[in-house]
């Protein structure tokens, strides 16, 4: 089995990834019973497991076994968890520093694509004049599917209502190009929906500047923060973002397919009662029982009175076991601050870049072995470096990395994405990774 080396005490991570519970991309050298350390550089796809997660999940299971349905309303002694009906709210509080928002602007629910659909149902309101959605040319496929299907759902033509911003030759989309696109389509655009970090290139967008520019032109602004939440500092409230969505299984380490979260600016979460009104007024949304205010939720009435804030956008009773896993993962972040994690990430990623560039410059031949797609400017990237290999190298390099106990992912046609996550990656791990990569590229170690 493999054992993760990336496990400092601050992160309190489990260390075992075995052939039964995930295989860690296979067994070292293909031998059963091997017990070798591995290097985990794929936290941008699935974060490593914090030890706290097991304790929190066990606590949830114990509550369920001990008191059953009463777990919804009972705080158990010696448990790290609150009662189940308050778990989502508790996780929202613990997420505030990660995304730069007030707890009441955060709701933990569903999965990322479902949340994109729910929030677009509320925020994408096309009419005869404003109907376009501005997006990037090649977002993560689920985002493209969600956007395109929303356009079609409204009876519109994706060819006319989807504005795709293409990158320059180096795979980067400059901020100036995004701003120009906004200006060009401002009069007929209803929504701008971009990723905080582009999954393929690792580019971190200037969210503050882009948001302000679009909103000044009357455009609703949403962000997919799948690769940004828990990775870089965010200020969603201060930037006046309308809504955002993110998963929690990458940099937040809540587990595969873990429950997701969303941000709704407080100005869109108001619930108001006019004098003498029988119904409250609030922003239209697809409503469900668990979005109802707790004070009247169990009256079992047909009058929907949403919770104030982002919680009013919740539709269903969230899974307590999923929330327990997320709560455990977030307890690790409570031991530090995003500001401090970002500071380490900047240096850690710069060190990885330095070693990569030295390797590239040492190689001989008419064509470089690889080039780094991710921007060289540290302020335009998170912890990920996307390395585009020379044509024909990807499969052999990926196989060599795997055989030497290195776990990172590949994206065709020729990219390996290297993610030194500051919460659990050491500088020693980066150096060791690069020595394995040197051998995979045929360079002398």
């Amino acid at each position: 089995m493999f054992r993760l080396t990336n496990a400092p005490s601050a992160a309190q991570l489990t260390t075992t990834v075995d052939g039964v519970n995930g295989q860690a991309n296979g067994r070292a050298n293909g031998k059963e019973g091997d017990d070798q350390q591995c290097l985990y550089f794929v936290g941008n796809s699935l974060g490593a497991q914090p030890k706290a997660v097991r304790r929190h999940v066990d606590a949830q299971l114990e509550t369920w076994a001990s008191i059953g349905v009463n777990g919804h309303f009972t705080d158990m002694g010696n448990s790290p968890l609150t009662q189940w009906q308050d778990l989502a709210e508790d996780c929202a509080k613990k997420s505030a520093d990660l995304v730069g928002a007030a707890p009441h602007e955060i709701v933990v629910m569903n999965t990322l694509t479902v949340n994109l659909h729910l929030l677009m149902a509320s925020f994408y309101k096309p009419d005869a004049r404003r109907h376009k959605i501005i997006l990037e040319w090649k977002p993560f496929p689920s985002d493209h599917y969600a956007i395109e299907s929303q356009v079609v759902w409204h009876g519109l033509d994706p060819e006319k209502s989807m504005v795709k911003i293409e990158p320059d030759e180096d795979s980067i989309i400059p901020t100036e190009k995004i701003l120009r696109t906004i200006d060009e389509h401002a009069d007929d655009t209803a929504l701008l929906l971009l990723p905080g970090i582009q999954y393929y290139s690792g580019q971190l967008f200037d969210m503050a500047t882009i948001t302000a520019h679009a909103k000044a032109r009357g455009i609703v602004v949403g962000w997919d923060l799948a690769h940004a939440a828990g990775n870089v500092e965010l200020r969603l409230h201060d930037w006046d973002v309308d809504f955002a969505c993110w998963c929690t299984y990458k940099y937040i380490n809540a587990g595969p397919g873990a429950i997701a979260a969303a941000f709704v600016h407080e100005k869109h979460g108001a619930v108001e009662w006019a004098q003498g009104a029988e119904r409250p007024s609030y922003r239209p949304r697809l409503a469900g029982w668990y979005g109802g205010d707790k004070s009247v939720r169990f009256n079992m009435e047909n009058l929907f009175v949403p919770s104030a804030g982002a919680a009013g956008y919740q539709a269903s009773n969230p899974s307590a076991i999923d929330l327990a896993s997320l709560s455990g993962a977030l307890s690790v972040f409570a031991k530090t601050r995003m500001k401090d994690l970002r500071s380490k990430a900047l240096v850690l990623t710069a060190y990885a870049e330095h070693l990569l560039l030295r390797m590239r410059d040492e190689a001989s031949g008419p064509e470089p072995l690889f080039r780094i797609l991710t921007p060289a400017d540290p302020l335009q990237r998170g912890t990920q470096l996307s390395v585009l290999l020379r044509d024909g190298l990807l499969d052999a390099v990926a196989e060599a990395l795997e055989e030497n106990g290195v776990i990172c992912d590949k994206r065709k046609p020729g990219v390996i994405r290297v993610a030194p996550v500051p919460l659990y990656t050491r500088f020693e791990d980066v150096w060791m990774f690069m020595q394995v990569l040197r051998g995979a590229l045929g360079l002398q170690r």
Side-chain angles (χ1 to χ4, degrees), residues 261-285:
F263 164 88
V264 178
H265 198 281
E266 63 181 11
K267 63 187 175 186
H268 300 305
V271 179
E272 299 174 338
W273 290 86
Q275 186 173 2
E278 295 182 357
R279 295 177 176 273
S281 62
Y282 51 88
R283 184 180 184 88
R285 78 282 306 267

Side-chain angles (χ1 to χ4, degrees), residues 4-14 38-50 230 249-254 332-333 336 341 344 348 383 407 419-430:
L4 300 183
T5 64
N6 313 16
S9 59
Q12 292 296 295
L13 300 171
T14 57
C38 77
L39 297 167
Y40 197 76
F41 279 76
V42 71
N44 57 338
S45 185
L46 176 67
Q49 182 191 120
Y249 53 79
K250 299 181 189 297
Y251 294 96
I252 301 177
N253 313 307
V332 178
F333 285 88
T336 184
L341 288 173
K344 180 185 175 184
L348 195 66
T383 67
I407 307 176
V421 179
L423 200 62
Y424 49 81
T425 303
R426 306 169 300 179
F427 288 88
E428 177 185 359
D429 298 322
V430 174

Side-chain angles (χ1 to χ4, degrees), residues 54-65:
R54 187 181 298 274
R55 186 167 72 93
H56 282 63
V57 169
D58 284 347
Q60 189 276 334
L61 294 175
E62 179 61 28
T63 298
W64 181 20

